[in-house]
Amino acid sequence: MTLEEGTMTVGEALARAEELRPGCQITARTRQRWLVELDGMLREKFFKNCPEGSYDAVGADRAGNDQLAEDAELLAPAPFDALYPHYLCARIDAALGETARYAGEQSQYNALAAELAVWLRQRYPPRAGRAVGWVHVDTRPAKSRWTG
């Protein structure tokens, strides 16, 4: 995947999801909140190792408590920004009890999120001395359960 210029806006993500799920019964405000939650999760989970300021100006999670602007740029850069409509459709399907459709959309979202994570780790490697992923620290006084 090659990185393209520009990134998806809130309005574009909502419009693409609406194309895939016409006549959706979920309010636009709820779908906007889902975008805010998603960008907050992506920032916390994937964008931690990015240099200060590199992604601070973008993201639905930066909008605050006001109504999210349609032209606000989302956090994930192109081509990974295709994950937003899949995420919205998955949430819509889950809310409406469409489990088979939910599974398909969630699978597509997961694949794009995994590619984004790989791209970010290659572009911004973890800082030296920082543990990556889950680390188990054995705090037992006797490390072996076989004592004699």
Side-chain angles (χ1 to χ4, degrees), residues 7-14 28-44 47 55-77 81 83-84 87-88:
T7 187
M8 189 175 292
T9 65
V10 169
E12 291 169 342
L14 293 173
R29 180 70 181 142
T30 298
R31 288 178 279 152
Q32 287 177 341
R33 293 306 309 158
W34 288 341
L35 290 173
V36 170
E37 292 167 6
L38 176 58
D39 269 358
M41 186 272 304
L42 290 174
R43 188 177 309 279
E44 181 65 25
F47 286 80
Y55 289 95
D56 289 348
V58 296
D61 61 324
R62 297 295 195 217
N65 294 330
D66 301 78
Q67 183 78 4
L68 190 57
E70 293 282 317
D71 63 346
E73 287 188 355
L74 296 168
L75 181 60
D81 58 359
L83 62 81
Y84 291 105
Y87 179 80
L88 288 172

